[in-house]
Every structure is written in C-alpha cells, then in structure tokens.
Amino acid sequence: MKKNRLFKLLFLTIIIFLGIVEVKAYSRMESSNFANAKKGALLCQYVDGSENVQVEIYMINFKKIGSDRALWGIYYNKGQNNFSGLGTGTSYFSVLSGNSKLHYQKDDQRITADKEKTFTCPNYAFIDYSGINEVCISDSTSCGAKFEKGPFKLSDKSIFNDIENYISTDAMNYLDYKTTGLDSLNAAIISKTKDHFNKEYSFGTTYEMPEFIKNYIEHFDDY
C-alpha cells in the first residue's frame, strides 16, 4: 500500500511539474529568442520620442498543427530596459480579452472575437504603473486618465512590416507586369507571399498560419 501511495504521489508531482512548465510565463529574452528562431514573432513594438522601446507584444510558440497551444506574451518597460511580463495565454483571444491586463482601444475594453482574425497593431501604446500594472494599445492618442505613461508610437518592427516589405520588394521582383492583369497580379503576390512565410515559419508543416497573418496577406491591398 505504501508503495502504491508513493507511486501516486510521485506521479502527481510529475503531472504538476509538467503543468507548471506548460503554462510558464516567458521572459522578454526568451520571446526574442523564439522570434529570432522563427518559432514566434514580434507582433507590435512601441517606442518613446527617443526611440526607446516601451511596449512589445509577442506571439511565441506558434500553434502546432493538431495542437490547441498558442502562447502570447506582452511586455512593458518599467524603465532602464527592465521589462515585466503581463502574462501569457493559450490563445490570442485569451490574452487580449477577459481579465487580461492588456486593454484594447480604450480603458477597460478588451478585443472582441470578431477582431481576432483581423488584428493589426494599433498606432499607440500606454502604460499604467499605478496599482495593477497594465497596458493599453489604441489608435487614439489617449486610453483614458488611468494610463499615465504614453502615448508611445508604433515602430516599424513587426511581422506585419515584414510582410509589407516582402510584398513591396521580393514578391514584386518575380512578376511580369506587362502580361499580368491586376486580379491575377494580386493573386500571384498573395500566393508568393504565403509560400515565403510558410517556409520562414514552418507554417503548413509544423505550425498553423495564424488567421490574422493569413488575413493580412490576403488583404494586403486594403492595408
């Protein structure tokens, strides 16, 4: 009996340990490493007037095909490049909704499910250092009186910017403008861009292409 109880206790300890590892909050450095290794991406980065980074939003560990895991991390700068994490979630929506410390467009508002697939980075970010540290990202120059630091402006470092740069340079170089109509030109650009980012991030082989990235590529002419 004692051996059975010991085995059960050991098994439970292992399960708890694995659970802790699974839901750990990644540091900014770890997230940067994931992005550099193409196993994640920097989605939004915000800087102050001196180009010092103040807020970053990462998607880390892209959702593997056949899995339900897709972790996100949000970090803000407390000063002197001392970043603190605002937490992670099992999906994009779980981080930017509910009780998340990341506000969207205005104080106490979260992103809605219908915006999840069409997400792009708002123009500004704000930080609330008092009480519970929180961040707000918004297209407005204010998120309310609660957020005393900001607005910090959107930088040009993001996966969205990488998509734009690829379309405006690499993807265009392979197309014959004289013989291709506008509709087929757009279709060719979309196809080549998807192929490129599928290869870059192992989308379609190891990971699923996130819906908002797919949407951004397919509607590049709107953006």
Side-chain angles (χ1 to χ4, degrees):
M1 285 296 285
K2 287 184 178 180
K3 287 184 178 180
N4 287 338
R5 285 199 297 268
L6 182 61
F7 176 79
K8 289 179 180 179
L9 180 61
L10 178 61
F11 180 77
L12 181 61
T13 302
I14 293 173
I15 292 298
I16 292 173
F17 174 76
L18 291 176
I20 292 172
V21 171
E22 182 72 11
V23 299
K24 64 165 287 190
Y26 292 93
S27 71
R28 184 198 180 210
M29 183 62 69
E30 286 174 307
S31 297
S32 297
N33 291 339
F34 275 113
N36 291 335
K38 302 298 185 180
K39 295 180 179 179
L42 173 62
L43 299 184
C44 311
Q45 183 186 83
Y46 297 89
V47 297
D48 60 21
S50 299
E51 299 299 316
N52 297 312
V53 180
Q54 297 293 334
V55 174
E56 288 183 326
I57 301 174
Y58 287 92
M59 183 177 189
I60 50 181
N61 281 351
F62 287 118
K63 180 178 178 182
K64 288 188 176 181
I65 294 174
S67 168
D68 62 352
R69 302 294 294 175
L71 295 179
W72 296 72
I74 305 103
Y75 303 93
Y76 70 98
N77 194 345
K78 297 178 69 176
Q80 303 299 317
N81 291 320
N82 179 18
F83 273 73
S84 294
L86 290 180
T88 57
T90 56
S91 72
Y92 171 86
F93 188 65
S94 69
V95 170
L96 300 189
S97 66
N99 294 321
S100 166
K101 295 179 181 179
L102 185 67
H103 299 239
Y104 183 70
Q105 301 296 359
K106 64 180 183 179
D107 184 14
D108 288 332
Q109 178 171 288
R110 304 301 193 270
I111 192 168
T112 55
D114 63 306
K115 293 291 185 182
E116 179 173 351
K117 294 181 180 179
T118 59
F119 176 80
T120 57
C121 300
N123 293 323
Y124 304 102
F126 309 79
I127 301 173
D128 167 30
Y129 285 151
S130 61
I132 301 175
N133 294 318
E134 298 182 77
V135 164
C136 181
I137 52 176
S138 175
D139 285 317
S140 172
T141 55
S142 173
C143 264
K146 176 180 180 180
F147 294 91
E148 69 272 19
K149 299 293 184 181
F152 304 115
K153 65 179 180 179
L154 182 66
S155 81
D156 61 358
K157 293 183 179 180
S158 73
I159 193 170
F160 300 110
N161 196 61
D162 291 344
I163 292 170
E164 292 174 9
N165 287 339
Y166 180 77
I167 289 175
S168 64
T169 54
D170 299 72
M172 294 292 193
N173 292 334
Y174 301 99
L175 302 174
D176 184 352
Y177 299 102
K178 295 180 180 179
T179 59
T180 305
L182 183 59
D183 289 341
S184 56
L185 171 63
N186 285 356
I189 292 174
I190 290 170
S191 176
K192 290 181 180 295
T193 304
K194 281 184 177 179
D195 288 345
H196 172 75
F197 283 90
N198 281 340
K199 184 178 180 180
E200 280 282 289
Y201 292 95
S202 299
F203 292 145
T205 54
T206 303
Y207 307 105
E208 294 182 8
M209 177 175 279
E211 283 296 323
F212 67 90
I213 294 178
K214 179 181 177 183
N215 180 78
Y216 197 80
I217 293 173
E218 291 178 346
H219 299 89
F220 76 93
D221 49 340
D222 295 333
Y223 294 110

